[in-house]
Amino acid sequence: LSWHVALSALALGDTARAWQVYEQQVQPGGAWGPPLNVATDAPAFLWRAELAGEKRNLAHWHRLRDYTDKAFPKSGIGFVDVHRALTRAATANGMGIAEFVAELEEIAPRSPMGTVVPQLARGFAAYEAGDWPQAIAVLQPALAQTVRIGGSRAQRDLVLGTLIAAYLRSGQSGAARQLIQAQEDRSPRLSVQGLN
């Protein structure tokens, strides 16, 4: 539940509390949960914190990439792989993410998740590179397929938040608002800088 506490604090603007919970109960070395939870919750928090306007903390990202690479040295668990893609995108400066996407594409035909995992990885890489049109082109069609990666809706909202941020950063605030309106049956849990 610590991840949810951290996200709630972030959504309420209590960033000091959000970071305190992250550092004491979510990140590697602070969390007591299994590696799968640490490898998914920690990058999801860091990415969403940045979407909300927090400055990137490279030390957190590098620690997390080392942890996920050690805990999950091979791809094949789609939910983890999507989050490993975040750590690759955030730490690689464009290097290494292409090889990771290629690895995901290679195993996609044998995966019950199909191509959505490498598609999301490509979308996150495009977003990280500041290629908003490409991020939108890749993430928009993948949005309906995110249920295939597993996890809760709160966890899959990471993709929705990234897509909204890409629309906003490309100057398409109308498209961002339409996307939000299409999700009206859902309670808003997203903190994206520039949304309000």
Side-chain angles (χ1 to χ4, degrees), residues 47-48 50-53 120 122-141 143 157-180 190-195:
W47 192 266
R48 287 168 78 148
E50 291 178 20
L51 291 177
L120 292 174
R122 279 194 310 277
F124 293 143
Y127 180 87
E128 179 60 26
D131 188 344
W132 318 128
Q134 180 64 15
I136 292 166
V138 174
L139 293 175
Q140 182 67 55
L143 190 59
D157 276 350
L158 173 75
V159 179
L160 178 62
T162 305
L163 182 56
I164 289 168
Y167 275 124
L168 291 172
R169 284 160 178 72
S170 69
Q172 299 180 61
S173 60
R177 296 205 184 285
Q178 285 179 340
L179 185 57
I180 293 166
L190 301 170
S191 298
V192 178
Q193 186 178 35
L195 190 56

Side-chain angles (χ1 to χ4, degrees), residues 34-35 67 69 81 135 161 167 186 192:
Y67 176 86
D69 285 353
D81 291 339
Y167 275 124
R186 304 162 62 154
V192 178

Side-chain angles (χ1 to χ4, degrees), residues 116 120 139 141-151 156-157 159-160:
V116 71
L120 292 174
L139 293 175
L143 190 59
Q145 297 297 314
T146 57
V147 69
R148 296 182 76 180
I149 66 171
R156 294 187 310 268
D157 276 350
V159 179
L160 178 62

Side-chain angles (χ1 to χ4, degrees), residues 28-195:
W32 59 266
L36 185 135
N37 293 100
V38 178
T40 57
D41 291 350
F45 174 81
L46 292 179
W47 192 266
R48 287 168 78 148
E50 291 178 20
L51 291 177
E54 290 291 295
K55 186 178 175 186
R56 173 159 294 168
N57 183 319
L58 275 173
H60 281 312
W61 278 110
H62 283 290
R63 186 177 317 114
L64 187 52
R65 181 173 174 169
D66 292 345
Y67 176 86
T68 58
D69 285 353
K70 183 177 179 183
F72 298 94
K74 292 185 178 183
S75 297
I77 303 172
F79 189 57
V80 173
D81 291 339
V82 167
H83 291 84
R84 286 179 66 211
L86 295 174
T87 66
R88 299 279 175 152
T91 59
N93 293 330
M95 304 293 290
I97 188 67
E99 292 84 357
F100 186 63
V101 171
E103 181 182 326
L104 295 176
E105 288 174 337
E106 186 178 318
I107 64 174
R110 301 183 304 277
S111 171
M113 295 168 200
T115 60
V116 71
V117 174
Q119 190 173 1
L120 292 174
R122 279 194 310 277
F124 293 143
Y127 180 87
E128 179 60 26
D131 188 344
W132 318 128
Q134 180 64 15
I136 292 166
V138 174
L139 293 175
Q140 182 67 55
L143 190 59
Q145 297 297 314
T146 57
V147 69
R148 296 182 76 180
I149 66 171
S152 69
R153 188 167 67 185
Q155 290 163 315
R156 294 187 310 268
D157 276 350
L158 173 75
V159 179
L160 178 62
T162 305
L163 182 56
I164 289 168
Y167 275 124
L168 291 172
R169 284 160 178 72
S170 69
Q172 299 180 61
S173 60
R177 296 205 184 285
Q178 285 179 340
L179 185 57
I180 293 166
Q181 288 172 352
Q183 311 292 325
E184 273 188 28
D185 62 320
R186 304 162 62 154
S187 61
R189 288 182 285 268
L190 301 170
S191 298
V192 178
Q193 186 178 35
L195 190 56

